[in-house]
Structure formats: C-alpha cells, structure tokens
Amino acid sequence: MKRKLLLIFFLSVALVTFGQYQVTGGSGSPLLAESKSNMRVYLLNGLQNARISFTSDSSFVHQWYRYSEKALESEPVASQQTGNTSYITDVEDGYGYYTGDKFSSKTQFIWIINYSLYLPVLNSLSVQEDEFRCENLKLKAGVEASPLYYYTSVGSYTRLYRTYILEYSTLKWLEDSKTFVPETIEYEKKEPFSEISIDPPLQNTIFTLSGDTYAKHFGIQKSVATPEYQAVAVEAHADVKREKTQADNETGNPEPNPDNPDYGGSAPIKITFTAIANEPVAKIFIWDILEEKNGSWVSRAHFPDKTIEYEFKEEGTFKARLQVSSPNACLDSTVSYNVTIGNTELKVPKAFSPGSSAGVNDEFKVSYESLISFKCTIFNRWGNKLFEWSDPSKGWDGRVNGIYVPTGVYFYVIQYKGTDGKSRVKKGSINVLRGKT
C-alpha cells in the first residue's frame, strides 16, 4: 500500500511538471522577457489583477511555492484549483513561483517583475562633434534606469539588460538604379551605455532615443531628441558609360563585368564618368585620370566636374578616380575605375575570295587591336588605286565600280598609328581567288 501511495505521489509530481503556465494581469499584456531552460521571466505593468495559472494533465492537487533572493528557501503559497487548473493571485514583484518539486529537472519556474516600478528616465541626447565625425558619429545619452534582475531556483543572480532604440533618417544607395533613396534607421543599443557610435547620416536629421523596448511593449515608452543635425558626411558613387562597339575583326576588347572590372580594351575608347553623391551635403566633385608609371600613379588630367568625357588612346594602365567632399572637409575618395589599354596589333590576310562563297572569306579585312588612325589603299599591278577606306572595322569586297576584279595579285598600303603614338606603314600583296563556279 505504501509503495502505491509513493507511486501516486511521484506520478502526480511528474504530471504537474509537464503542465503549462499562464501569466495575466497589469495594464496591457504581460511580457515574456526571458525564457531559458526551466526559467521564464515576466514583466507586468502593475500587479492589479495579476494571476499565475497552471494547467496539468492531471487533477491531482497542485502545491504552489515562491522564493526570492533574500529567502532562497521556498515557502508555500495559497492557490485555488478547479479540475486540472490552479492559480494564485497573491503575486508580488521580485519573486519566483513554481509548482511541484523544486529539485526536479522538469520543474518550470516563473519570475515576476513589476515593470512599472522600474521605468527608465531619458534625460538628454546630444551629438558629439569631433575630428572623426566624417566616418563615425558619436552621441552622448543621459539615461537613468534601475537594474532589472531575477534569481534562478538555485539562487543565481541574472540581470535583464534593457534595449533602447535610436532612430534617425539617412540615404541608402541603390546600385541597380544608381540613385539614393530615403531610409529610416532604427539602431538598437543595449545598456549600460552613455555614448552611441553610428555611421554618420547622409542628410540632415533629428536623432531620437526612445525606450526601453519593454516600455514600448506596454505603450509607455519615453523619448528624447536632438535639435536637427546638419549632415557633413559624404558618400560617393558613379555611373560609367563606355562608348565602344566591338567590331568582328577587332580583338582585345572585353566587356567590363564583376569578373572583369576593367573598362579598357582596344583603343580608342571614349568613357563618360558621372559622379553621384548625397547632395546637397556633397558639393565638390573632382575626377582625376591617373597613369601607372614605374609602380606609381602619375596624374594625366584633372577635372573639377561631376561629369567628364575622356578618350583613352595610349597603351598603358590608367585609373579614373573620383573625389567628393563637403564644405566641412569630409571626403570620400573610394571610387575608382581601372582602364587598361592594349598595345597595337595589326594582321593582314594573304588571300580572299570575293563573289565566290558568300560569307566565307569574301572580304579583305584586317585583324586589329588599338588602332588610333587607319587608312588602307588597294593598287593593281600597274600602280593604279582601286579602293581606299579609313575604318579598320570595314574592308574591301573585291569590287571596283560594282564589278569584281579579276583574280590575281593586288597590293595594299596601310598607314596607321598605334597607342605608342608612332605612325607606321605596312605594305604587302593580297591574292584574289575565285572558285570555278
């Protein structure tokens, strides 16, 4: 009989520990501020009508207890029970509550904090101007708040850290559309703190500190704000357009992409650089064209403009660098673009077959890279000029006055200028072939 009673007792404890707690009361809904292992901490905005209820899978009598940091020994608490649910109403701030066996690993504990007794006071908020304000802005906050804490069932002191919200407006860069758009920042800061460091805003704004987040839950948060802050930081971006068409007989002219961020290729290449920044804070725009010489960057051109157009005609490695600044001497010089111009190459075929096989070697065209100027003249064996053109992407279709020339040997003279600035002449012969049909 004794064994049966013990079995019933332990079974009832097990059933109780697998039950569910519910906390109600105060103004607004209670907040579950922390849930760790077998511990749950609730904040209530006042304790009017406060109640903790417990529902188990059994109708056995639930025994309630409470403990505090001053009296780690538990003491019984009067409760009321109907069926499988019991509850207590004598709920106090700074106590832990539970049902069942305190030393069971399955027992759950509830700690109650009357948050209305610990409301924070936000006294002041100000911007700290210093020499680092262009990259890192600091705000000084005057906040007073009593610590929130609880004790576990074994007497371990644990603090709940409040979180405050700093809100302000700035600008956000959208790379796809190449534009800035307004953005509201909500920056969370956990106590303790007296200073907040943030990325400086890109437009004039008002900083507002509110909280804490527990007060926000209950709808009773307070806030403090600065006067309108005059922005000084700048952020530079750019839009780049390369005016270059790849001819089918031109080499060394890849399209720039994330895997190939070089805007160079076969010269001449005309590129338009347009600066974009957070105006009107950003007021000064400077583009520099630099050339690499013996491991150093040497200035080639300097333009105090937002938009420039520059034609790259010389072999070498170049860089277009943007500098944007505000009247307060904040500078952003992180934007730059690489432009590598290849050396001049010219290859001339030895034969072609005009009017013989459409689309297959039926035009006399050179293969080239980086030609600054070009002129090719075709002569017959008697030295008479038959044809001439100055666009290297074009060619000769083997006709003179609309009639195909006879098969045989013809001569060309090519005058061209390379990216090294030197003019050259290339002479040779070309065989005109034609099939039997």
Side-chain angles (χ1 to χ4, degrees):
M1 183 67 178
K2 185 176 181 181
R3 291 185 60 188
K4 289 183 178 180
L5 290 174
L6 288 174
L7 179 60
I8 292 173
F9 170 76
F10 286 118
L11 181 60
S12 67
V13 170
L15 290 171
V16 166
T17 57
F18 279 103
Q20 297 292 327
Y21 287 103
Q22 184 178 16
V23 178
T24 59
S27 177
S29 61
L31 173 65
L32 177 59
E34 188 130 295
S35 180
K36 290 184 177 180
S37 180
N38 64 344
M39 192 79 203
R40 292 184 178 182
V41 181
Y42 281 89
L43 303 185
L44 283 76
N45 184 23
L47 296 181
Q48 61 273 22
N49 302 318
R51 185 167 87 168
I52 308 175
S53 61
F54 178 81
T55 302
S56 70
D57 299 330
S58 157
S59 59
F60 288 103
V61 176
H62 304 161
Q63 177 60 60
W64 284 80
Y65 300 92
R66 77 173 187 176
Y67 69 95
S68 71
E69 75 278 14
K70 296 180 180 179
L72 294 178
E73 294 295 329
S74 302
E75 56 183 358
V77 177
S79 65
Q80 299 182 49
Q81 182 167 342
T82 302
N84 295 2
T85 300
S86 64
Y87 64 89
I88 60 174
T89 56
D90 186 19
V91 179
E92 297 184 48
D93 171 66
Y95 280 92
Y97 298 87
Y98 66 96
T99 62
D101 181 6
K102 179 179 181 181
F103 300 102
S104 170
S105 62
K106 299 185 181 299
T107 298
Q108 301 292 311
F109 299 87
I110 301 292
W111 186 273
I112 299 296
I113 297 176
N114 181 1
Y115 178 75
S116 65
L117 302 177
Y118 307 96
L119 294 177
V121 179
L122 283 67
N123 293 315
S124 61
L125 183 67
S126 59
V127 177
Q128 304 297 296
E129 294 280 5
D130 58 28
E131 66 271 25
F132 304 108
R133 68 187 185 279
C134 297
E135 294 82 26
N136 183 268
L137 192 65
K138 297 179 181 178
L139 295 94
K140 186 175 181 180
V143 179
E144 297 179 16
S146 301
L148 300 175
Y149 60 90
Y150 66 90
Y151 283 84
T152 66
S153 61
V154 295
S156 176
Y157 170 89
T158 304
R159 182 172 176 179
L160 287 178
Y161 289 96
R162 305 170 189 257
T163 300
Y164 297 83
I165 303 296
L166 177 69
E167 184 175 334
Y168 61 97
S169 60
T170 185
L171 297 175
K172 179 182 180 180
W173 174 251
L174 300 181
E175 180 63 29
D176 290 343
S177 59
K178 301 290 185 181
T179 57
F180 282 100
V181 295
E183 180 183 33
T184 298
I185 300 294
E186 290 189 354
Y187 177 79
E188 294 187 352
K189 184 67 175 180
K190 185 177 291 186
E191 67 177 359
F193 65 89
S194 60
E195 188 177 88
I196 304 175
S197 296
I198 60 170
D199 293 332
L202 301 178
Q203 65 178 12
N204 297 348
T205 187
I206 294 175
F207 296 99
T208 302
L209 183 67
S210 62
D212 56 20
T213 51
Y214 302 141
K216 183 178 181 180
H217 169 81
F218 294 115
I220 56 175
Q221 74 271 26
K222 303 294 183 181
S223 63
V224 63
T226 66
E228 185 178 58
Y229 171 72
Q230 303 299 307
V232 298
V234 296
E235 183 176 306
H237 298 274
D239 187 23
V240 183
K241 289 183 171 57
R242 186 176 75 156
E243 298 180 28
K244 180 67 180 181
T245 301
Q246 176 77 39
D248 59 5
N249 58 328
E250 184 179 15
T251 62
N253 198 37
E255 287 295 326
N257 58 66
D259 296 327
N260 173 43
D262 197 309
Y263 283 80
S266 175
I269 298 178
K270 185 181 293 184
I271 303 178
T272 301
F273 300 95
T274 301
I276 307 171
N278 57 312
E279 298 181 76
V281 179
K283 291 184 179 297
I284 303 170
F285 300 83
I286 296 174
W287 282 101
D288 286 296
I289 305 299
L290 309 173
E291 182 181 8
E292 186 178 20
K293 291 286 189 182
N294 300 319
S296 300
W297 291 102
V298 179
S299 178
R300 288 291 303 271
H302 180 84
F303 305 95
D305 299 295
K306 283 180 60 175
T307 300
I308 67 168
E309 184 179 85
Y310 193 85
E311 188 171 37
F312 295 87
K313 298 181 178 181
E314 299 179 16
E315 175 187 352
T317 301
F318 303 88
K319 179 183 293 186
R321 185 183 65 191
L322 171 64
Q323 296 187 77
V324 176
S325 61
S326 67
N328 304 82
C330 288
L331 173 70
D332 186 352
S333 58
T334 59
V335 175
S336 65
Y337 298 93
N338 296 326
V339 181
T340 303
I341 301 300
N343 62 335
T344 298
E345 291 186 2
L346 179 65
K347 296 180 180 179
V348 183
K350 296 184 178 300
F352 75 116
S353 52
S356 180
S357 52
V360 180
N361 195 31
D362 58 354
E363 189 175 15
F364 173 53
K365 296 175 73 172
V366 301
S367 173
Y368 71 97
E369 178 180 351
S370 295
L371 290 181
I372 305 305
S373 64
F374 172 89
K375 185 174 73 170
C376 181
T377 307
I378 303 296
F379 298 92
N380 61 17
R381 66 179 65 188
W382 297 282
N384 297 320
K385 184 169 73 172
L386 304 181
F387 192 76
E388 187 175 84
W389 71 101
S390 58
D391 183 349
S393 67
K394 307 298 182 181
W396 178 42
D397 63 2
R399 288 184 285 193
V400 175
N401 297 324
I403 301 174
Y404 287 111
V405 299
T407 59
V409 178
Y410 294 81
F411 302 89
Y412 63 83
V413 175
I414 299 176
Q415 298 170 287
Y416 67 99
K417 185 178 181 180
T419 52
D420 57 2
K422 296 180 180 180
S423 297
R424 295 178 173 83
V425 176
K426 188 178 183 70
K427 299 179 180 181
S429 60
I430 179 73
N431 287 288
V432 173
L433 308 176
R434 193 164 289 113
K436 294 179 179 180
T437 58

